[in-house]
Amino acid sequence: GLGIVDGKLFVTDIDEIVEVSIAEGLITNRYLIRGNPQLNDITIDELGVVYASGSNTNTIYALSAGELTKTYPVDSAQRLNGLLASVNGMYFLDFNTSLFGLMDLNDGAIKVLARDLGKSDGIVKLPNEDFITTGWMGQIFYIDGLTGQATLLLDSRDQSIGAADIDYIADQNLLLVPTFFHNRVMAYKHNDLLS
């Protein structure tokens, strides 16, 4: 996972969140998380809090003002993966159950939004409040933000082109998909996927 806030790049590295000064190109801090969390994705909320998913512990870790401040266990998860911070709560994907959900960080309540999304990995929210998620083996899904209806947009499993974490550049209507076992980043115009 990668995230940027206040000129710093935050990177997950198995049991550490690594902080890098972008201007200097230097590691400025490391935040160790004990218990073999197998840190995976990163997301940053509107207040600059950095959240990392622990795939082995099914826990969300929060880093604020240079301190690990809170943990949020996701009890229903079997292998927590993608995260997306939002004013609505924390959107998450579970790799093993292929589930897309929303967690209330205040009380831990979870709402299931969609199921059967492949080995779920990356999430982006579109300007129209819908979502795109990836399945690790090579699937890309469009999810209606109101109904949770999932539509398969792309399936590259037969070509052994996996789909990892994703990003979306809204002003270019461009979806970026790093691939597993293919050594490249694929770029798709959003409308190309829907046609």
Side-chain angles (χ1 to χ4, degrees):
L2 301 170
I4 295 174
V5 63
D6 295 333
K8 296 176 181 175
L9 174 68
F10 292 87
V11 183
T12 54
D13 186 15
I14 303 175
D15 62 356
E16 292 180 318
I17 299 173
V18 180
E19 177 186 297
V20 179
S21 167
I22 295 172
E24 299 172 88
L26 297 172
I27 294 174
T28 52
N29 217 329
R30 294 176 181 270
Y31 304 94
L32 177 67
I33 299 176
R34 300 190 185 281
N36 189 25
Q38 293 186 12
L39 297 176
N40 197 322
D41 200 14
I42 278 186
T43 188
I44 299 172
D45 72 11
E46 71 280 358
L47 300 176
V49 178
V50 177
Y51 297 89
S53 60
S55 291
N56 206 40
T57 56
N58 296 312
T59 298
I60 300 167
Y61 301 90
L63 175 67
S64 180
E67 291 186 21
L68 289 163
T69 55
K70 293 189 86 171
T71 59
Y72 303 91
V74 184
D75 295 331
S76 62
Q78 293 182 17
R79 188 151 184 82
L80 189 60
N81 197 332
L83 296 179
L84 180 62
S86 164
V87 294
N88 299 324
M90 183 65 68
Y91 292 100
F92 69 91
L93 289 169
D94 187 279
F95 183 85
N96 279 356
T97 63
S98 302
L99 178 143
F100 178 42
L102 176 63
M103 180 178 183
D104 185 324
L105 295 180
N106 294 314
D107 63 11
I110 290 174
K111 178 181 178 183
V112 174
L113 303 174
R115 297 180 185 273
D116 302 321
L117 301 175
K119 297 291 188 183
S120 302
D121 197 322
I123 316 166
V124 292
K125 191 171 189 180
L126 302 174
N128 66 359
E129 303 294 312
D130 292 343
F131 299 88
I132 293 180
T133 68
T134 56
W136 185 80
M137 298 300 290
Q139 296 161 293
I140 299 175
F141 296 91
Y142 187 96
I143 300 173
D144 185 291
L146 290 177
T147 66
Q149 176 70 39
T151 302
L152 181 64
L153 297 178
L154 182 73
D155 190 342
S156 57
R157 289 177 294 177
D158 288 347
Q159 294 90 11
S160 298
I161 302 174
D165 200 358
I166 53 177
D167 203 358
Y168 181 71
I169 303 172
D171 62 352
Q172 296 181 42
N173 197 28
L174 192 66
L175 182 70
L176 303 174
V177 184
T179 63
F180 282 102
F181 316 121
H182 206 245
N183 299 321
R184 64 185 65 187
V185 176
M186 308 297 276
Y188 303 98
K189 288 285 189 182
H190 175 57
N191 290 338
D192 292 344
L193 287 173
L194 290 177
S195 58

